Amino acid sequence: MVYLSLLAAVLASLVWSLNPAVISRYGRSLKPLTFTGLRALIAVAPLLVLIPFRPVALNATPYGWLVIALSALLGPGLGDSLYTLSIKSVGGSLAVTVSYTYIFFTQLFSLTMAGEAVSLKTALGGVLAFTGIAVAAIGSNNSRGQGKLATGILAGLGAGVLWGLATTLVKISLRFLPDVVSLTVVRLVLIALFLTPVGYVLEGWYDRRSLRDVIKAGLVTGVLGWTIGMYLFIYSINTVGASLTAVATAFTPVLSQFTTRLVSRERVALNHVLGSIAVSLGVALNYV
């Protein structure tokens, strides 16, 4: 069962590696908040088809609903919005490297909020991972400018913090809504209902051409990244916990270096690859 859960997390990591590539390719057309809301709407559609055959359980307590809502809106909601902003600012290669510090924020929040122990190896892995981020950031301003670099890195770190907090909240949410499909559906619906109108007010809507790009990007990052990826992620958390699941997704920064180049035709710098490898080595310490 443990190995099956870890496999689920690794598969989630694989499909998530496509996200920075796709978002980078269509970045000019995407508005972070509205895109995240529409992504969730696209992602929940296939799961809604299953409801007549597998009813969604909605029996959480009021406190449980609050935790579930925060796990959705803070993590894949606002966190992914910041992630999109980071990709638009500094490109997919660097954004995914910085954002995947979420692994260590997850361990911090899991220790303080969910009682999951953090070992010395985890702490050392965190140091190595942050070293990788520094390596990835060297010389990354290039033609984007210092302001874009600062915005992208801060947005990426913000995404990492929110993802880490939300991952821990998912662990707690499963105490109130233990059915994985139900929790996945509820989180996606909440994201769509909240971020789509908020994004419309704050960012405006899309013209016809931009909307086509949004739908294309949303189909890949929504269906693969959230319909499938979020389900696998929650399944793994439900079995082995938040910290170990987060560790198992560390392959995303490395895989994204290749998917970014293949899908978005974005140039992958050597320092981005070295930084991503360092991040993954830091996570690998948890298995030694």
Side-chain angles (χ1 to χ4, degrees):
M1 184 65 73
V2 172
Y3 292 110
L4 184 60
S5 297
L6 292 177
L7 176 61
V10 171
L11 290 175
S13 183
L14 176 62
V15 295
W16 287 344
S17 71
L18 292 170
N19 289 353
V22 174
I23 293 172
S24 182
R25 177 168 182 172
Y26 296 105
R28 291 185 179 181
S29 299
L30 306 182
K31 304 175 190 292
L33 292 172
T34 52
F35 172 63
T36 303
L38 290 173
R39 264 182 79 192
L41 187 62
I42 293 171
V44 79
L47 293 174
L48 291 177
V49 173
L50 298 176
I51 289 179
F53 307 97
R54 193 181 189 284
V56 173
L58 301 174
N59 53 356
T61 64
Y63 174 72
W65 282 117
L66 175 62
V67 174
I68 292 168
L70 289 175
S71 79
L73 298 179
L74 292 180
L78 295 179
D80 273 54
S81 297
L82 287 174
Y83 187 41
T84 300
L85 176 61
S86 181
I87 293 171
K88 285 168 62 71
S89 299
V90 296
S93 299
L94 179 56
V96 72
T97 304
V98 175
S99 299
Y100 261 70
T101 53
Y102 102 91
I103 294 166
F104 305 100
F105 289 119
T106 297
Q107 292 167 342
L108 173 63
F109 289 124
S110 294
L111 173 65
T112 57
M113 298 172 61
E116 292 187 6
V118 178
S119 66
L120 177 61
K121 288 187 294 185
T122 298
L124 292 175
V127 172
L128 182 55
F130 276 101
T131 301
I133 291 169
V135 170
I138 293 174
S140 294
N141 54 337
N142 293 331
S143 61
R144 295 179 186 268
Q146 195 66 36
K148 286 272 190 178
L149 178 64
T151 297
I153 289 179
L154 287 175
L157 285 174
V161 172
L162 291 175
W163 286 347
L165 177 58
T167 301
T168 303
L169 290 174
V170 168
K171 173 68 174 180
I172 299 173
S173 297
L174 285 162
R175 300 173 186 171
F176 303 98
L177 198 61
D179 182 69
V180 175
V181 173
S182 297
L183 185 57
T184 303
V185 170
V186 168
R187 294 178 85 225
L188 289 172
V189 169
L190 288 171
I191 295 166
L193 290 178
F194 182 78
L195 285 187
T196 305
V198 170
Y200 176 77
V201 172
L202 296 179
E203 299 172 335
W205 200 240
Y206 299 95
D207 57 36
R208 182 176 299 178
R209 180 176 180 181
S210 296
L211 187 58
R212 287 198 297 267
D213 289 343
V214 169
I215 293 173
K216 291 176 185 177
L219 284 171
V220 177
T221 64
V223 175
L224 289 180
W226 278 354
T227 306
I228 298 173
M230 186 183 292
Y231 172 83
L232 292 171
F233 188 62
I234 295 174
Y235 171 82
S236 182
I237 291 173
N238 192 37
T239 306
V240 299
S243 296
L244 188 54
T245 296
V247 168
T249 64
F251 295 103
T252 297
V254 175
L255 292 171
S256 68
Q257 307 307 323
F258 301 98
T259 56
T260 296
R261 186 165 188 172
L262 289 172
V263 176
S264 67
R265 299 176 184 175
E266 176 184 323
R267 179 180 175 273
V268 179
L270 177 61
N271 59 301
H272 294 172
V273 175
L274 293 176
S276 297
I277 292 173
V279 170
S280 296
L281 287 176
V283 174
L285 284 178
N286 290 272
Y287 287 113
V288 175

